[in-house]
Amino acid sequence: MTERAVSVIVVSRGRPAHLIRCLTALAQLYYRNFEVIVVADPAGAEAVGASRFAGAVKLVRFDRANISAARNLGLAEAAGEVVAFIDDDAVAEPSWLAHLVRPFADAGVDAAGGFVRGRNGISFQSRGRLVDAAGRETPVRLDGDAPLHIAGRPGRAAKTEGTNCAFRRETLLRIGGFDPAFHFYLDETDVNQRLAALGARTVLVPLAEVHHGFAASAQRSAARVPRTLFDIGASLAVFLRKHAPDQAARRLDEMRAEQRARAIGHMVTGACEPRDVG
């Protein structure tokens, strides 16, 4: 059976060594009919240029902290029928892309999402979930490793993770791609909600696995302690304004409580100090 053409897009900022590791894993994929598009800052672009991947990937230079804008640049370069996304600090299983892309054989499928394991390679960071118009997530019941088809409707979407998701390129272009108002956080969830409002079908694929290390960034330390909550708060405000304005005040209060509990948890483990919580 002919493999459908896929464009794998990797956005990288401030993590050149992780980017090369991610590309090394992509080079080991069982799937063959794919291209890799790297949207990277100067350090990432330099690392690619000095590696064995120079000339083997499409390289787009982009030096702004806006993951949605970066993904749109990758989307503009994509030649594949399907576009898949993985983070620069993630490592794909060799069978990842084959499993993730298989549901697109059904013309009625517009999106797919896989599972994400943590840095220990055993526990899961994320599995199948639904997300409502206010960004609240609930787990879904899965039948072993069988893919789960979920028909979207306004206010109810299948949640795909930005580090392990794929979309039919034409569909993503038709809805305008990613919204650049989301610099970081909820960017793919906004796409999920817009697709769900159109009744699009998303497939959750348990066997499409990546390992995600949560490398240090401008937003968090290597121990996952937030350095700032500004972009999270800003993105949530944009998300609520678009999808659930009537729930904004209550959801923002919930998020404040969730983030405070998260910070206190880090304090208890010694990853941050009491003065950091505020």
Side-chain angles (χ1 to χ4, degrees):
M1 184 174 67
T2 303
E3 294 179 329
R4 67 193 63 250
V6 181
S7 299
V8 178
I9 299 172
V10 186
V11 173
S12 184
R13 183 171 181 80
R15 297 192 288 224
H18 290 85
L19 171 60
I20 297 303
R21 185 182 65 179
C22 175
L23 296 178
T24 300
L26 293 179
Q28 306 302 312
L29 292 177
Y30 297 149
Y31 202 87
R32 303 319 313 166
N33 191 17
F34 73 99
E35 64 175 358
V36 176
I37 302 168
V38 175
V39 184
D41 65 352
E46 182 179 351
V48 171
S51 75
R52 66 187 178 97
F53 302 109
V57 304
K58 290 182 179 177
L59 179 61
V60 181
R61 297 173 186 271
F62 181 69
D63 193 16
R64 194 151 53 90
N66 186 319
I67 194 167
S68 295
R71 285 177 170 161
N72 285 341
L73 288 175
L75 178 61
E77 295 293 325
E81 175 189 348
V82 173
V83 289
F85 295 88
I86 185 170
D87 288 350
D88 61 355
D89 60 347
V91 172
E93 287 282 347
S95 59
W96 168 64
L97 198 58
H99 287 297
L100 187 65
V101 171
R102 189 167 295 140
F104 292 96
D106 181 341
V109 170
D110 288 293
F115 283 16
V116 181
R117 290 192 185 270
R119 63 178 67 186
N120 62 14
I122 300 171
S123 59
F124 284 101
Q125 285 178 5
S126 63
R127 303 172 74 177
R129 290 175 289 178
L130 298 175
V131 61
D132 69 11
R136 300 184 188 91
E137 299 174 4
T138 55
V140 296
R141 185 183 298 276
L142 294 155
D143 183 13
D145 292 331
L148 177 64
H149 291 242
I150 298 174
R153 62 172 187 262
R156 177 189 180 272
K159 176 77 167 67
T160 61
E161 300 298 330
T163 192
N164 187 356
C165 59
F167 304 92
R168 201 173 294 278
R169 182 171 59 89
E170 288 185 2
T171 302
L172 196 51
L173 287 171
R174 190 166 65 247
I175 67 170
F178 292 84
D179 185 344
F182 297 93
H183 295 187
F184 168 82
Y185 184 67
L186 292 176
D187 43 295
E188 73 279 357
T189 310
D190 170 64
V191 169
N192 296 154
Q193 288 295 333
R194 286 187 280 141
L195 288 176
L198 299 175
R201 185 146 47 99
T202 298
V203 181
L204 299 179
V205 189
L207 291 178
E209 291 190 3
V210 304
H211 301 258
H212 188 211
F214 278 119
S217 68
Q219 285 77 29
R220 61 174 180 256
S221 71
R224 296 183 63 185
V225 179
R227 301 186 196 277
T228 171
L229 295 175
F230 177 82
D231 284 322
I232 288 178
S235 290
L236 179 61
V238 172
F239 187 87
L240 292 168
R241 188 180 304 130
K242 289 183 69 172
H243 302 291
D246 58 326
Q247 301 183 54
R250 183 175 63 180
R251 181 65 186 122
L252 286 167
D253 284 342
E254 291 173 357
M255 179 60 84
R256 288 189 192 96
E258 291 167 7
Q259 293 299 328
R260 178 171 175 78
R262 177 185 174 198
I264 290 173
H266 285 302
M267 182 189 71
V268 170
T269 65
C272 68
E273 299 180 8
R275 63 184 175 182
D276 297 325
V277 173

